């Protein structure tokens, strides 16, 4: 699905703050809404946008296109796994949270290693981002929903050093969004992780 009207308005708000950032490459989930967001970030600059399948949203399999009531009727109790025990959820004909995390983290590390000293933008999806950061911070999948929710088009920034250690500079920064396009959640930033090397 493309960005809806709210999503387009949020993505437009990225243009100004991202125009002030040096960007060497943009990698994006191949989903249309992520690619559209990448185009807003790119603006008029000559920057390559590289679709990366491993950065896709979770594949919900047979859940796709169904509402909560329909899912509950077909797979009783499975929504409870989604909410309370996501590490145990296997979407019918879809993915597990672990599979998404493994592929997304592998892609993230590869992108970092292929671009030493460069400023990279990755446009992807809320759960994909949270699963990447959860792995980097050694947060178990069970607790992924306890991380503060990321608003669409929020900015999470990491400084990654040559030895692979990193600092989270911004987590879910959304000050570029007007109040009507922003959720008021507490943001987490300033994590310095010394025990993980990319």
């Amino acid at each position: 699905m493309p960005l809806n009207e709210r999503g387009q308005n949020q993505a437009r708000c990225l243009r100004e703050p991202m125009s002030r950032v040096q960007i060497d490459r943009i990698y994006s989930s191949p989903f249309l809404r992520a690619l559209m967001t990448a185009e807003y970030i790119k603006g008029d600059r000559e920057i390559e946008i590289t679709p990366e399948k491993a950065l896709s949203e979770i594949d919900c399999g047979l859940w796709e296109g169904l509402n909560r009531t329909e899912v509950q009727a077909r797979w009783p109790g499975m929504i409870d796994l989604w909410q309370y025990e996501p590490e145990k959820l296997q979407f019918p004909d879809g993915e597990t949270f672990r599979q998404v995390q493994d592929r997304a983290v592998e892609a993230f590390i590869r992108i970092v290693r292929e671009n030493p000293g460069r400023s990279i933008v990755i446009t992807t999806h809320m759960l994909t981002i949270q699963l990447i950061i959860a792995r980097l911070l050694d947060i178990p999948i069970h607790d992924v929903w306890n991380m503060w929710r990321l608003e669409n088009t929020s900015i999470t920034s990491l400084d990654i050093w040559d030895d692979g250690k990193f600092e989270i500079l911004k987590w879910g920064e959304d000050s570029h969004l007007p109040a009507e396009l922003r959720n008021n959640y507490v943001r987490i930033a300033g994590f310095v992780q010394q025990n993980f090397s990319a």
Side-chain angles (χ1 to χ4, degrees):
M1 297 291 290
L3 290 173
N4 60 19
E5 182 178 356
R6 175 184 170 89
Q8 290 183 56
N9 289 335
Q10 290 173 317
R12 281 188 196 96
C13 292
L14 279 172
R15 273 195 167 164
E16 195 278 326
M18 295 306 288
S19 71
R20 295 184 268 113
V21 176
Q22 168 63 38
I23 301 172
D24 298 307
R25 293 284 300 278
I26 300 175
Y27 292 82
S28 177
S29 159
F31 284 26
L32 184 54
R33 60 189 185 272
L35 288 168
M36 290 172 70
T37 302
E39 288 291 342
Y40 280 106
I41 293 169
K42 174 183 173 181
D44 298 330
R45 294 176 286 189
E46 293 295 325
I47 305 170
E48 181 181 358
I49 297 175
T50 304
E52 176 58 61
K53 185 176 181 181
L55 297 172
S56 297
E57 179 62 282
I58 191 167
D59 181 352
C60 295
L62 298 177
W63 280 30
E64 297 284 351
L66 302 179
N67 63 35
R68 184 185 181 95
T69 302
E70 293 168 327
V71 168
Q72 183 62 29
R74 294 185 193 186
W75 298 280
M78 198 172 274
I79 287 178
D80 289 339
L81 292 180
W82 167 269
Q83 291 180 310
Y84 304 112
E85 298 181 286
E87 75 281 6
K88 296 180 180 178
L89 179 62
Q90 166 71 65
F91 282 106
D93 290 343
E95 291 183 291
T96 65
F97 279 53
R98 176 70 65 199
Q99 288 170 324
V100 176
Q101 187 178 60
D102 287 347
R103 64 166 163 80
V105 168
E106 181 180 345
F108 176 80
I109 291 172
R110 176 174 42 79
I111 289 167
V112 168
R113 287 180 175 164
E114 290 174 354
N115 293 279
R118 292 181 179 153
S119 178
I120 304 302
V121 169
I122 295 174
T123 58
T124 185
H125 311 275
M126 183 266 291
L127 178 59
T128 309
I129 296 168
Q130 294 201 181
L131 286 170
I132 292 170
I133 300 299
R135 173 74 60 82
L136 300 185
L137 297 177
D138 201 27
I139 296 170
I141 289 174
H142 179 81
D143 295 324
V144 74
W145 294 134
N146 294 327
M147 299 170 70
W148 296 108
R149 183 184 184 279
L150 299 173
E151 181 57 86
N152 291 337
T153 73
S154 65
I155 301 169
T156 295
S157 300
L158 287 78
D159 190 0
I160 303 174
W161 301 305
D162 290 341
D163 62 3
K165 293 181 174 61
F166 66 92
E167 179 180 2
I168 297 177
L169 304 173
K170 294 180 183 178
W171 173 257
E173 170 61 44
D174 63 5
S175 61
H176 54 281
L177 295 172
E180 66 272 14
L181 294 177
R182 185 183 337 133
N183 289 325
N184 295 317
Y185 293 100
V186 175
R187 306 302 178 187
I188 301 171
F191 282 114
V192 177
Q193 173 59 277
Q194 300 292 341
N195 299 321
F196 181 91
S197 177

